[in-house]
Amino acid sequence: MTRTLSDDEVRKAVPMRDAVEAVRDAFDGLAAGHFTQPERLVFGDGRVLVMTAYHEPSGTGVVKTLGVQLDRDPAILGTVVWTGAGEPLVADATAVTTLRTGAVTGVATDLLAPPSAGHLALLGSGAQAADQVRAIAAVRELREVAIHSRTTGNARALSERLGTEFPAVSFRVAESVEDALADAEIVNCATSSETPLFALSALPQNVHVNAIGSFRPSMRELPGELLATASIVVVDQIGAALEEAGEVIKAVEDGVLDRGSIVELGAALREPPAVSGRTVFKSVGVAAQDWAIARSLAAYEE
């Protein structure tokens, strides 16, 4: 018999704090060589994606299929299938994807942002945005969140919804990117932009930046100058980033970012770096993250 879980059931089973820890463990396992993880299959210029991972120690695997339409909210719809131990499980891919993408920024932020950081700038107000805030709140004591979006109404609605969820945090809508970034200690970018969202000069000197929106070579959320001058650039997986992260691809091609200086998240978790100034985490998403959430779902009992 196959278990099937809806969006609400996924979120009930795996709170964000648990998701962060599950994804942290998965990246440690990825660095240890515990996963077989083929490159993501991409069809129709990113309109259909297929991601798979097999965890050798447990003999379990996950397959995720996504349909992507950027003019739709949520932009991604699909399924996650877990198999190999006990009864198979099928879960809503939108919930799993936003949860695991939030979780990985939580892992990276916990590693790279100062412990006292509590002022977040969120660029983007789409389906990924709320879990980006939840993830940062899971690893840092947030004080203020400034949200900027090209659709002000969406930013306002998100601000009100999250304000109810996190009453101790001050939420506001920023009319410009520069306004949002002015006092930021952490920046999360969650857009499908094909041009950088801000100029390097708009960033504070000491800030951690997460970018999770771009997943095609044509997309770029971050300016090349940031990647060139950051004290460290961390990615989920170097091969995936060099295939899919537009800002990383361009920075390497332009010679402003040395491929050899890019650090994978799993390796950074095993040997935490000394960080200062501006730090960057760029994620395009890897299937081990989906496996981490699916494993938690499979273990959940109502």
Side-chain angles (χ1 to χ4, degrees), residues 96-280:
V96 171
T97 301
T98 61
L99 184 61
R100 60 83 144 155
T101 305
V104 78
T105 62
V107 173
T109 299
D110 200 28
L111 177 71
L112 300 172
S116 62
H119 186 157
L120 170 67
L122 175 65
L123 306 183
S125 60
Q128 294 274 12
D131 276 331
Q132 292 295 302
V133 175
R134 293 177 183 123
I136 305 305
V139 299
R140 290 295 182 271
E141 187 174 344
L142 281 178
R143 300 182 300 274
E144 181 177 349
V145 177
I147 303 174
H148 175 73
S149 172
R150 63 183 182 182
T151 308
T152 302
N154 288 354
R156 187 173 295 113
L158 179 63
S159 177
E160 292 172 357
R161 177 157 57 98
L162 290 172
T164 300
E165 187 173 340
F166 298 98
V169 180
S170 174
F171 288 86
R172 69 181 182 89
V173 175
E175 296 299 323
S176 68
V177 172
E178 292 75 16
D179 177 28
L181 297 179
D183 299 314
E185 295 166 304
I186 304 167
V187 178
N188 279 32
C189 304
T191 77
S192 57
S193 180
E194 295 194 351
T195 57
L197 299 174
F198 51 84
L200 180 64
S201 59
L203 277 180
Q205 289 295 325
N206 296 292
V207 65
H208 171 62
V209 180
N210 298 301
I212 61 92
S214 66
F215 61 94
R216 296 174 182 168
S218 61
M219 294 177 172
R220 291 172 59 204
E221 293 186 294
L222 305 180
E225 294 85 355
L226 173 59
L227 298 179
T229 59
S231 64
I232 188 170
V233 176
V234 178
V235 300
D236 38 22
Q237 200 168 39
I238 291 173
L242 292 173
E243 286 289 328
E244 301 171 359
E247 50 269 276
V248 174
I249 294 169
K250 182 168 175 54
V252 170
E253 288 178 347
D254 289 348
V256 300
L257 177 64
D258 180 6
R259 173 176 177 161
S261 70
I262 303 171
V263 180
E264 290 191 336
L265 180 58
L269 289 170
R270 293 190 146 213
E271 295 186 23
V275 296
S276 62
R278 295 171 175 140
T279 58
V280 173

Side-chain angles (χ1 to χ4, degrees), residues 30 71 90 111 170 292 296-297:
L30 192 61
D71 58 353
V90 178
L111 177 71
S170 174
S296 298
L297 292 173

Side-chain angles (χ1 to χ4, degrees), residues 39-52 63-70 72 75-79 93 215-216 219 244:
E39 289 187 9
R40 173 159 54 192
L41 296 176
V42 180
F43 303 100
D45 191 29
R47 292 179 179 85
V48 173
L49 307 175
V50 180
M51 303 172 68
T52 62
V63 177
K64 182 171 74 173
T65 59
L66 293 177
V68 182
Q69 295 183 26
L70 296 178
R72 176 180 64 195
I76 57 173
L77 295 173
T79 58
F215 61 94
R216 296 174 182 168
M219 294 177 172
E244 301 171 359

